[in-house]
Amino acid sequence: MILFITIMLFAKYLLLSFMVVQVQLFLHQLQSFLFVNINDTAKIQCSSKKQFLAGGITARWYRRREGEAPMLIKGCSDNQNASKVACILEGHNLTLAIYNAQRNDSGVYYCTNSYITLTFDNGSTLIVGDSYTTSSWVLTLAPSPHGLLSPGTADLACVVHGVSNLVQISWSISGDLQEQGLMRSLKAKDGSFLFINHISVPVDTWTSGKIFTCDVKFNSSGKSVKKIARYIQAPARECSLYIVPLAAGAGLLLLVVSLSLVWTLCPSTLGFQPRVSAPPASEEPQGGILYAHLDFDSRNRNGRTLQRPARGKRVKP
């Protein structure tokens, strides 16, 4: 008997789980991004293929801020905090209304109809106010011709620095809008955010010469900052960059060697006369007497040349 009751309870649990998942799969959020000004009313929609029944609404709204886990904001079956947030039922659509929206209301909102297992869709990103600051900048990062990270794909990134809140980042390839890339975020000590949006495309697409554009929106004005990236083909031979410096160096070395040889072998051709050394000693035999004439070139302190006759030595025959 106890075994039978246990099996029935388990079967009921499985059936309830199946029904919850089935209902949850029909919920969709069509708004990827929503910009509103401060103190305005934000309306985030969630739709279902089946019509919502009044009085039987079990949907819940969750909000996830950067670096935080999803938090329950509103259960549509209760009337708590109705002055700030409210669930509005309109046929197949369920709308979360956030009155007097402030910056801290920004985040990613999810609607779900599951009590047991929370399975979220992509959600809707709400951005309240302006995220742009004086230290904000946008930069695109693309692989070099020889720096592809993985075979067959090319990885590109769009970096948004120094923003105060969430931003919308989208990619387009030669004007064709692409799906949202993988987003990563980092919060600095001063409270500002750094966002990196990453996409992977086939190498053939990257090297085809198409223009990749990163489009960043900071507020509801409709204006955006665009940065482009494009494949630049590498030169056929990288050694060609060093040909001119090497040729110039070789020519200079050849010139130095040539001048050294001319200086050594033919100094007169360069306008220089070799130093005249003292004449060799002469030997003249005269009557058994040998005279040796030696000339010494010496200079005094004033630079004048002094000649001192050599002394001869008589030799007996």
Side-chain angles (χ1 to χ4, degrees), residues 158-214:
C158 184
V159 182
V160 182
H161 171 271
V163 293
S164 61
N165 207 341
L166 298 173
V167 295
Q168 180 183 1
I169 304 176
S170 59
W171 288 88
S172 63
I173 302 178
S174 294
D176 296 331
L177 186 64
Q178 302 297 306
E179 295 182 359
Q180 300 294 327
L182 179 62
M183 180 77 80
R184 293 182 174 89
S185 63
L186 179 64
K187 189 174 183 179
K189 294 182 179 180
D190 59 357
S192 63
F193 290 95
L194 170 71
F195 293 100
I196 302 177
N197 192 282
H198 165 262
I199 62 171
S200 295
V201 297
V203 172
D204 295 339
T205 304
W206 167 243
T207 57
S208 63
K210 294 183 178 180
I211 298 177
F212 292 75
T213 304
C214 172

Side-chain angles (χ1 to χ4, degrees), residues 32-144:
S32 297
F33 284 87
L34 177 64
F35 291 91
V36 297
N37 296 323
I38 297 177
N39 298 327
D40 286 352
T41 299
K43 293 184 178 181
I44 307 173
Q45 295 181 350
C46 179
S47 63
S48 172
K49 291 184 179 180
K50 292 185 178 181
Q51 186 173 0
F52 290 100
L53 298 177
I57 303 175
T58 59
R60 294 182 172 187
W61 286 93
Y62 288 81
R63 180 186 64 205
R64 181 180 63 83
R65 292 173 177 170
E66 287 298 319
E68 300 179 4
M71 182 179 62
L72 178 63
I73 297 299
K74 179 66 177 177
C76 294
S77 59
D78 60 63
N79 294 323
Q80 296 180 1
N81 200 18
S83 61
K84 176 63 179 179
V85 292
C87 292
I88 302 175
L89 179 62
E90 297 176 351
H92 294 269
N93 296 325
L94 181 64
T95 301
L96 176 67
I98 303 176
Y99 304 107
N100 192 27
Q102 302 297 315
R103 289 183 181 273
N104 57 4
D105 292 321
S106 300
V108 183
Y109 286 79
Y110 306 93
C111 69
T112 179
N113 201 31
S114 173
Y115 283 92
I116 301 174
T117 303
L118 295 178
T119 303
F120 298 128
D121 198 0
N122 292 331
S124 299
T125 301
L126 172 64
I127 302 176
V128 181
D130 191 355
S131 302
Y132 190 86
T133 67
T134 55
S135 60
S136 299
W137 49 260
V138 180
L139 175 68
T140 54
L141 301 177
S144 63

